Amino acid sequence: MSDVIARAQELVTDSEVITKAKLRKVTLAGGAGVMGLITLDNGLDHTKPNTFGPGSLLELNTAIDAALADDEITSIGVTGKPFILAAGADLTALRSAGSADAIRTIAELGHFVFGKLDSAVGGKKSFGFINGLALGGGLEVALNCDYRTSIDSLPAAGLPEVMLGLVPGWGGAWLVPNLIGAAGAVKIALENPLNQGKVLKGTELFEAGLSDASFGGADFLEQSLVWAGKVLTGEITVERPEVDRGQAWDDAVAWGRAVAAGKTGGKSVSATRLLDLVEAAKSNTKAEGFALEDQALVDMAQTPELEASLYSFDLVQKRAKRPAGAPDKALARKVTKVGIIGAGLMASQFALLFARRLKVPVVMTDLDQSRADKGVAYVHGEIDKLAAKGRVTTDMANRLKALVTAEVDYEKAFSDADFIIEAVFEEMGVKKTVFANAEKVAPAEAVFATNTSSLSITEMAADLEHPERVVGFHFFNPVAIMPLVEIITGEKTSQEALATAFATSKGLGKTSILVKDSPSFIVNRLLGRFMGTVAQIVDEGTPVKDGDAAFAGLTPMPPFVLLGLVGPAIALHNNETLHRAFPDRMYVSPSLQRVVEAKLPGFYGADGSVAPEVEALLEKPANPVVKTVEETRTAVLEAMADEINRMLEEGVASAPEDIDLAMITGAGFQFWNGGITKLLDREGISEKVTGKKFHA
C-alpha cells in the first residue's frame, strides 16, 4: 500500500486548503508515558472547518509516522482546532479528482493513513479526542483510533455521506457496525442522513457507544488526557458491549432496507450500497470491509447522485452565503431591539431565536397582557430546557430570559425598536391594522417585517405613511430548525430595509433568498402546485396511499403526511390564495375543504391508514381515473417543471439555483437529487415540458 503515497502526491493541488497535522509531545500523568498529540488545524477560524483532501491526508500521514518512529512516544492522540475536529473529505478535491483511479487513490489513502491509528497496525495505543464538529471522515479518523472521548457540547457528529450520494468511505461502514452493532450503524449512517441530515449532538455520540467517555468545559482536552493516561496504566478499563452477530444484525439490515425504500423509493444508489456494506461487515474482515468501501466510493463517484449532491453542497455552502440580489450590507441598520406583534407559538419561537442569536432585548405584544405573558412564559420554559440539557449556562439562561419581556402598550413596546416583526393571523386586514398601529409609535427608520407565507407585501404596506420600511421575512416551521428565510421585496421596499433584513437573517444563522413579491413566494407556491396536483389526482380516483407512495426520494415525507404536519387548514389557505391568483392551474380540492370543515387534523389515523372519517369525505368520482405510482410521479413532476419555468420567467427567483436552495433548505428536498431542477433535467422532464433544460 505504500505506493498509494506516491499516487496521492500527484493529486495535490494548489487550490486545496491544507489541514496541517501538528505533532507535539505531552507527558501524561501517573507514569502513563509520553503521548504524541496531533492537532488538526487548517489555520482558519471555526467557520471554515478542517477537511481532508489528498494534501491534508499526506500531512496527517507524516505526523503519524513521526509519532510511530519516535521511541519516546508511547501513545498517539488526535484532536482538532477549537470547536472542530474535521468536517470530513474535501468534496472539492473529490470533484476535481476526476478519474476512477484518482478517486480510488483518495479512498485507499484515507484507509491507509487512518488505519495506522489502530494499534494492531501502528503498534501504539491511540486516542481520538473529539473536541467539536466531526462529520464523515472527521468522525472516521477518531473511529480508527483504539479509544475516543467526546465533548458534551458537541455541535454535530455523524456519517452524512448517504445524503450526499456517497457512503462512509474511510472505515465508517465497517467500523461502526462492528463497534455498536448493525442497528446503531443503520441509524447513524442511513436513517439520520435521510432524515434531513440529522446529526448527533451533545452527549449523543457517547450514548450511542461511539465514544468511550464524555467531558465538558474549556478543559475538555486536559480531562481527556488524564482519562487516556488512566486507560494506559490500567486504572480505567474500557468495556464495550458484545455485538450481536445473529438475527439482530440481519433484522437491522432488513429494517434499513425498508427505511431506504420508504425514504428514497429505491432511487438512492448510495443508500442501497451502504446497506450492502453493513450486511457484509457481519462476517468479513476489516481489510475486506475497507476494500469494499474503496470500491463503493469509486462507484458512487461515477453516479449522477454525487454530481447533484455536490451541486447542492455548493448551493448551501457558497450561494447561501452570498445571496443573489442582496443589497450592499453597508446599508443595513443596526438592530438593538426587536418587537414582535403576537405571542402565539410562532411568535414565541421568533422571540427565542432572536434572543439567543442576536442577544438584544425582545418585546412581545398581544391583545391582552395574559396572552403576551403566556408567550414569554413559553420562551422562558424553552430556555430552562436548554439549561437543563447543558446547552446554555445558568448565567446565560438568566441573561436570555431577562431579554424577553411582554408589553401590551404599543408605544412602550415599539418606541425604541429597530426591527418589528408580525406573527398574527394570516389575513390581510389584520396585518395591515397591526402595522398601522405600530407605525404611530415606532421610530421613523424601524423596519417592519412580515412573516406572511402568501400575502402581498406591496398591498400590506400600501396604506402606511412609510411603505418603504416593509419587507417580507418568511420563516419555515419549526423556526429553530429550518434554515430558510425568504426575504421578499415589495414595490416600495427600500434598499436599507432589505439590507437590514438580510443582515438580521444572517445574524440569526439563517439562509436567505431574495424573492419577488408574488403569491406564496417560492416554496409555498411550488408546494401549492405540487400538493394541488397530487390532490387532483387523488380526487379523480387514485388512492391516497398510492398518491403518497409516488414521492419517496423526492420530498422529505409523503404529501398527505406533510399535510397533516402543516395542518389541513393552512394547506387549504395556501391553495385558495394561489387559486385566486392562478385559477387555471392551482387546484383546490373539495376533499381537503371537507376535511377542514370537519376540523380533522390530517388524512391518516394513528394506525397509519387513511382515517375512516376522512375516507368518508373523499371525492367519489363516477368514472374514477386510477393512476399508477409512476404515472402520478411523472404528472406531478411535469406540473412542477411548468411552475418553476413560470416562476423564473416572472422573476420570482433570479435563477434555478435559488429555486433549489429554497426547496432544500425550506422544504427538505433531497441533497442527492440536487433539489428539484437537477432532477427534472436528469429525467428529461424539463425539456419535455419547457423545451429546454434548467441548467445548460
Side-chain angles (χ1 to χ4, degrees):
M1 284 293 291
S2 59
D3 69 309
V4 75
I5 298 298
R7 287 187 277 128
Q9 288 170 338
E10 297 178 0
L11 298 178
V12 180
T13 66
D14 292 339
S15 62
E16 181 183 347
V17 177
I18 301 294
T19 297
K20 299 289 186 181
K22 302 174 181 178
L23 175 65
R24 62 187 173 98
K25 297 179 181 180
V26 178
T27 301
L28 300 175
V34 174
M35 174 176 285
L37 182 62
I38 298 170
T39 301
L40 304 173
D41 190 348
N42 63 6
L44 304 173
D45 66 27
H46 69 280
T47 65
K48 297 177 177 63
N50 301 323
T51 55
F52 292 117
S56 300
L57 288 170
L58 291 172
E59 281 277 332
L60 179 58
N61 182 66
T62 298
I64 294 173
D65 281 351
L68 292 175
D70 191 324
D71 292 338
E72 186 182 8
I73 292 175
T74 56
S75 62
I76 299 174
V78 179
T79 191
K81 67 182 184 181
F83 314 113
I84 305 285
L85 181 56
D90 182 336
L91 293 180
T92 302
L94 188 63
R95 169 186 276 171
S96 63
S99 71
D101 286 344
I103 291 167
R104 180 178 293 280
T105 295
I106 294 173
E108 291 179 352
L109 179 65
H111 279 130
F112 177 68
V113 175
F114 290 178
K116 294 179 181 181
L117 293 169
D118 181 349
S119 60
V121 176
K124 295 182 180 181
K125 292 292 184 184
S126 61
F127 298 81
F129 301 132
I130 305 170
N131 65 311
L133 180 84
L135 296 171
L139 180 58
E140 286 170 305
V141 69
L143 289 171
N144 277 273
C145 294
D146 299 310
Y147 306 98
R148 285 157 295 285
T149 67
S150 56
I151 193 164
D152 64 7
S153 59
L154 189 69
L159 298 171
E161 286 86 351
V162 166
M163 183 180 76
L164 298 172
L166 293 167
V167 295
W170 287 334
W174 190 90
L175 292 168
V176 174
N178 279 285
L179 181 64
I180 64 172
V186 169
K187 177 76 173 178
I188 291 164
L190 178 85
E191 188 174 13
N192 282 359
L194 293 180
N195 185 19
Q196 303 288 293
K198 184 179 179 182
V199 294
L200 301 176
K201 297 183 178 182
T203 59
E204 291 174 336
L205 193 73
F206 169 70
E207 292 161 358
L210 292 182
S211 82
D212 302 305
S214 177
F215 302 112
D219 61 345
F220 162 76
L221 183 57
E222 287 75 10
Q223 293 185 74
S224 294
L225 291 170
V226 170
W227 180 86
K230 292 180 178 180
V231 170
L232 291 168
T233 60
E235 185 176 343
I236 290 177
T237 300
V238 174
E239 297 182 358
R240 297 176 180 139
E242 184 177 350
V243 171
D244 188 335
R245 297 182 179 278
Q247 188 62 40
W249 193 293
D250 299 334
D251 290 345
V253 173
W255 165 65
R257 296 198 189 280
V259 169
K263 290 282 189 180
T264 76
K267 297 181 183 296
S268 169
V269 178
S270 57
T272 300
R273 195 61 172 267
L274 179 277
L275 290 165
D276 291 343
L277 293 174
V278 173
E279 184 174 37
K282 177 181 179 181
S283 57
N284 62 10
T285 65
K286 183 177 181 180
E288 290 168 340
F290 282 14
L292 288 177
E293 289 180 1
D294 290 339
Q295 186 59 49
L297 189 60
V298 171
D299 293 344
M300 295 297 95
Q302 311 301 311
T303 65
E305 277 186 288
L306 181 63
E307 193 277 330
S309 296
L310 293 175
Y311 163 80
S312 298
F313 186 80
D314 280 347
L315 293 181
V316 172
Q317 293 296 316
K318 296 178 181 178
R319 192 175 184 89
K321 294 174 182 176
R322 294 185 294 275
D328 185 345
K329 59 185 178 182
L331 296 174
R333 294 165 182 155
K334 188 173 182 179
V335 173
T336 60
K337 181 181 179 181
V338 173
I340 300 177
I341 305 175
L345 179 58
M346 182 65 82
S348 299
Q349 291 183 68
F350 292 170
L352 179 62
L353 181 66
F354 278 97
R356 286 193 70 192
R357 291 287 189 169
L358 301 186
K359 305 291 193 304
V360 299
V362 178
V363 59
M364 304 177 71
T365 64
D366 214 309
L367 295 174
D368 54 55
Q369 192 67 43
S370 64
R371 296 188 195 195
D373 288 341
K374 184 177 179 181
V376 172
Y378 170 87
V379 176
H380 287 187
E382 291 301 301
I383 293 171
D384 286 337
K385 290 178 185 177
L386 292 171
K389 294 177 182 177
R391 302 282 297 278
V392 297
T393 64
T394 301
D395 286 346
M396 179 56 72
N398 291 334
R399 179 185 170 193
L400 291 175
K401 287 194 285 188
L403 289 174
V404 182
T405 58
E407 177 57 67
V408 174
D409 187 308
Y410 269 31
E411 184 168 8
K412 292 179 181 177
F414 301 146
S415 62
D416 57 347
D418 311 294
F419 192 89
I420 299 170
I421 184 168
E422 65 77 21
V424 298
F425 185 66
E426 187 76 348
E427 200 279 321
M428 182 62 77
V430 175
K431 293 182 185 289
K432 293 182 81 165
T433 297
V434 297
F435 272 170
N437 291 335
E439 189 176 42
K440 296 174 184 176
V441 298
E445 293 189 342
V447 171
F448 286 7
T450 169
N451 185 52
T452 181
S453 60
S454 60
L455 301 178
S456 169
I457 309 305
T458 300
E459 183 181 350
M460 199 179 301
D463 299 335
L464 294 178
E465 185 178 345
H466 295 287
E468 71 277 0
R469 67 166 70 200
V470 180
V471 62
F473 204 76
H474 179 219
F475 286 93
F476 290 80
N477 206 16
V479 170
I481 296 173
M482 297 304 288
L484 181 64
V485 171
E486 289 178 325
I487 296 180
I488 307 101
T489 176
E491 288 181 6
K492 295 186 178 180
T493 302
S494 70
Q495 291 293 290
E496 290 78 9
L498 204 57
T500 304
F502 273 99
T504 302
S505 176
K506 183 177 181 180
L508 296 174
K510 297 297 185 182
T511 293
S512 304
I513 296 175
L514 180 63
V515 186
K516 179 184 175 182
D517 190 12
S518 60
S520 295
F521 317 128
I522 293 178
V523 175
N524 284 343
R525 176 169 166 179
L526 197 49
L527 286 180
R529 183 77 187 270
F530 169 74
M531 297 289 286
T533 307
V534 177
Q536 187 170 6
I537 289 170
V538 168
D539 284 350
E540 290 171 351
T542 299
V544 171
K545 278 283 191 179
D546 289 350
D548 268 351
F551 304 101
L554 175 64
T555 56
M557 61 187 68
F560 286 98
V561 175
L562 175 64
L563 189 146
L565 179 67
V566 303
I570 294 174
L572 178 61
H573 175 79
N574 186 53
N575 282 130
E576 290 174 337
T577 299
L578 286 166
H579 179 73
R580 287 192 293 272
F582 313 112
D584 60 318
R585 64 183 188 278
M586 294 294 183
Y587 178 77
V588 178
S589 166
S591 297
L592 179 58
Q593 288 176 321
R594 289 190 284 270
V595 167
V596 172
E597 289 168 4
K599 294 182 169 55
L600 298 175
F603 275 54
Y604 289 106
D607 63 353
S609 61
V610 177
E613 58 269 34
V614 172
E615 192 71 53
L617 298 174
L618 297 179
E619 289 284 278
K620 303 295 189 295
N623 299 298
V625 177
V626 180
K627 290 185 182 294
T628 66
V629 166
E630 194 58 37
E631 287 172 338
T632 298
R633 182 177 185 274
T634 298
V636 174
L637 288 179
E638 288 175 353
M640 294 179 79
D642 175 64
E643 199 62 36
I644 290 168
N645 192 52
R646 292 171 185 268
M647 292 164 71
L648 292 171
E649 288 179 345
E650 295 167 18
V652 175
S654 64
E657 287 81 359
D658 287 328
I659 299 280
D660 291 323
L661 182 58
M663 298 311 289
I664 290 168
T665 58
F669 275 43
Q670 303 290 351
F671 253 62
W672 52 270
N673 279 331
I676 179 64
T677 67
K678 281 282 188 178
L679 173 69
L680 296 172
D681 282 356
R682 189 164 70 244
E683 298 196 3
I685 291 174
S686 307
E687 289 181 286
K688 178 182 177 182
V689 173
T690 72
K692 62 183 184 300
K693 290 184 176 183
F694 289 115
H695 301 272

